Amino acid sequence: MRQILHTQIDIDAPVDVVWDILTDLERYQDWNPFVLYARGTILMGETLLLKPRLPGSRRQLKFTATVTTCEPKVEFAWTGIQIHPAISAGEHVFRLRPLAADRTRLIHDEVFSGVLAPVVMAVGGRQTRRGFELMNEACKLRAEQYDADA
């Protein structure tokens, strides 16, 4: 069973800039209000360590994920599995679509799968969506103020 959480935002910055921000995991702590800590490299098969915190919660989650898609400046995704993929898994997807030379649409989704997907969405879907929206807004702000020398 699959459940999809979809968000998107239009950013007044080129795809290159948005890509650089989203793939520089070590700087997430500088700007990202949802994923407070991230380590690893966005390359196929690489393992990432991620620590998100749902809005309104003091509890910081911790999980590892594997990069499952990486098409530079177009799309990347990581997948986290809880216990077994048939029980619960989440594929976190970022897609970048150029709208103009200096404008990008960020599509930011999560595809929950496994028998617990409906439960995961019922329990934490609203908070997770809000976390994605906050992350999207922060990415937009950072990209629109981007200084390549920073």
Side-chain angles (χ1 to χ4, degrees), residues 1-123:
M1 185 166 293
R2 292 169 39 117
Q3 301 276 315
I4 299 173
L5 192 155
H6 172 78
T7 66
Q8 70 181 44
I9 194 166
D10 292 345
I11 300 172
D12 292 324
V15 166
D16 291 0
V17 168
V18 179
W19 179 264
D20 288 349
I21 290 166
L22 289 173
T23 59
D24 187 358
L25 300 180
E26 293 198 14
R27 288 199 173 173
Y28 271 31
Q29 63 196 23
D30 297 340
W31 65 270
N32 193 327
F34 179 60
V35 181
L36 305 177
Y37 177 92
R39 291 295 182 268
T41 305
I42 303 297
L43 292 172
M44 283 295 292
E46 290 292 313
T47 300
L48 309 177
L49 174 61
L50 303 152
K51 295 182 182 178
R53 182 171 58 215
L54 294 174
S57 174
R58 286 189 260 171
R59 186 170 157 240
Q60 189 170 336
L61 308 171
K62 178 181 177 181
F63 68 93
T64 59
T66 302
V67 178
T68 51
T69 303
C70 183
E71 187 177 343
K73 300 178 185 172
V74 175
E75 177 177 350
F76 71 93
W78 63 63
T79 299
I81 296 170
Q82 295 180 3
I83 304 169
H84 187 279
I87 296 172
S88 180
E91 181 184 32
H92 200 105
V93 183
F94 299 91
R95 291 181 186 91
L96 303 180
R97 301 293 182 255
L99 301 175
D102 61 349
R103 191 160 167 77
T104 303
R105 175 164 293 146
L106 166 60
I107 300 164
H108 182 184
D109 297 338
E110 183 90 17
V111 180
F112 297 100
S113 59
V115 295
L116 292 181
V119 175
V120 170
M121 281 295 285
V123 171

Side-chain angles (χ1 to χ4, degrees), residues 119-148:
V119 175
V120 170
M121 281 295 285
V123 171
R126 199 169 115 214
Q127 281 182 296
T128 301
R129 175 182 303 284
R130 185 63 189 137
F132 284 18
E133 291 167 347
L134 291 170
M135 181 176 173
N136 295 351
E137 292 163 10
C139 181
K140 175 181 172 72
L141 181 65
R142 188 168 182 88
E144 291 175 356
Q145 298 175 347
Y146 187 78
D147 178 356

